[in-house]
């Protein structure tokens, strides 16, 4: 094709459709980040609880995965995952425009792993700092 030629009709539709769907994705992402932006401006327990409930599936999926790898009950692992999810909601910065799920999963996984590590010391619970010091020695 030369510089003055027009694109075929099929290519024009594809290009327009791609730009349109990209615009929809951006709009959807802005809408999904809007509650986090509101929470960042004005943190309230009610809004935080709404955000945790909306993303509870992340903690459920990770807790379910861990139940196959250890003998701890699902409910305990879910509770620890929700603690991590709550911390992720508190720490998330929506201005980075990253997906919340990508940000929250390390927090959820870390909370569950800390629980399993702390729980593995037997009946007497040893503080996490003591476990970390002991593992370095």
């Amino acid at each position: 094709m030369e510089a003055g030629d027009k694109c075929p009709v099929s290519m024009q539709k594809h290009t327009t459709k791609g730009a349109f769907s990209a615009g929809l994705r951006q709009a959807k992402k802005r809408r999904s980040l809007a509650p986090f932006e509101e929470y960042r401006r004005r943190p309230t327990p009610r809004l935080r609880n709404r955000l945790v409930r909306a993303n509870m599936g992340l903690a459920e999926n990770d807790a379910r995965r861990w139940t196959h790898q250890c003998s701890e009950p699902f409910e305990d692992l879910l509770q620890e995952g929700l603690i991590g999810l709550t911390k992720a909601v508190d720490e998330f910065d929506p201005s980075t425009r990253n997906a919340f799920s990508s940000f929250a999963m390390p927090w959820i996984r870390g909370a569950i792993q800390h629980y399993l590590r702390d729980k593995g010391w037997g009946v007497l619970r040893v503080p996490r700092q003591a476990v970390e010091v002991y593992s370095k020695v």
Side-chain angles (χ1 to χ4, degrees):
M1 284 184 4
E2 293 181 19
D5 292 345
K6 288 188 172 183
C7 290
V9 175
S10 62
M11 286 182 73
Q12 287 176 353
K13 286 182 182 178
H14 180 68
T15 306
T16 306
K17 183 179 178 184
F20 180 72
S21 62
L24 283 178
R25 279 194 303 272
Q26 288 176 342
K28 184 177 179 183
K29 192 171 192 176
R30 279 193 300 273
R31 280 196 312 269
S32 67
L33 292 176
F36 290 102
E37 291 168 348
E38 182 182 341
Y39 180 72
R40 196 75 163 158
R41 281 192 306 271
R42 219 172 2 119
T44 63
R46 182 178 180 176
L47 183 55
R48 182 182 64 194
N49 292 341
R50 194 175 94 202
L51 290 168
V52 168
R53 268 188 250 111
N55 293 285
M56 196 171 172
L58 297 172
E60 288 174 349
N61 289 341
D62 209 39
R64 195 170 292 112
R65 186 179 71 87
W66 282 101
T67 56
H68 300 296
Q69 298 177 13
C70 67
S71 60
E72 293 299 316
F74 171 75
E75 291 79 14
D76 291 350
L77 297 175
L78 176 61
Q79 184 174 7
E80 291 299 321
L82 291 174
I83 290 170
L85 178 62
T86 304
K87 289 178 182 177
V89 167
D90 288 338
E91 297 295 323
F92 182 63
D93 183 10
S95 66
T96 61
R97 296 291 180 205
N98 294 327
F100 175 72
S101 60
S102 300
F103 179 82
M105 285 309 296
W107 285 88
I108 294 167
R109 191 172 299 122
I112 292 173
Q113 287 175 342
H114 285 169
Y115 169 75
L116 292 173
R117 183 184 64 196
D118 294 348
K119 185 80 173 179
W121 277 70
V123 177
L124 180 65
R125 186 189 174 287
V126 179
R128 182 177 302 147
Q129 291 81 10
V131 174
E132 290 172 352
V133 168
Y134 180 78
S135 66
K136 290 179 183 177
V137 174

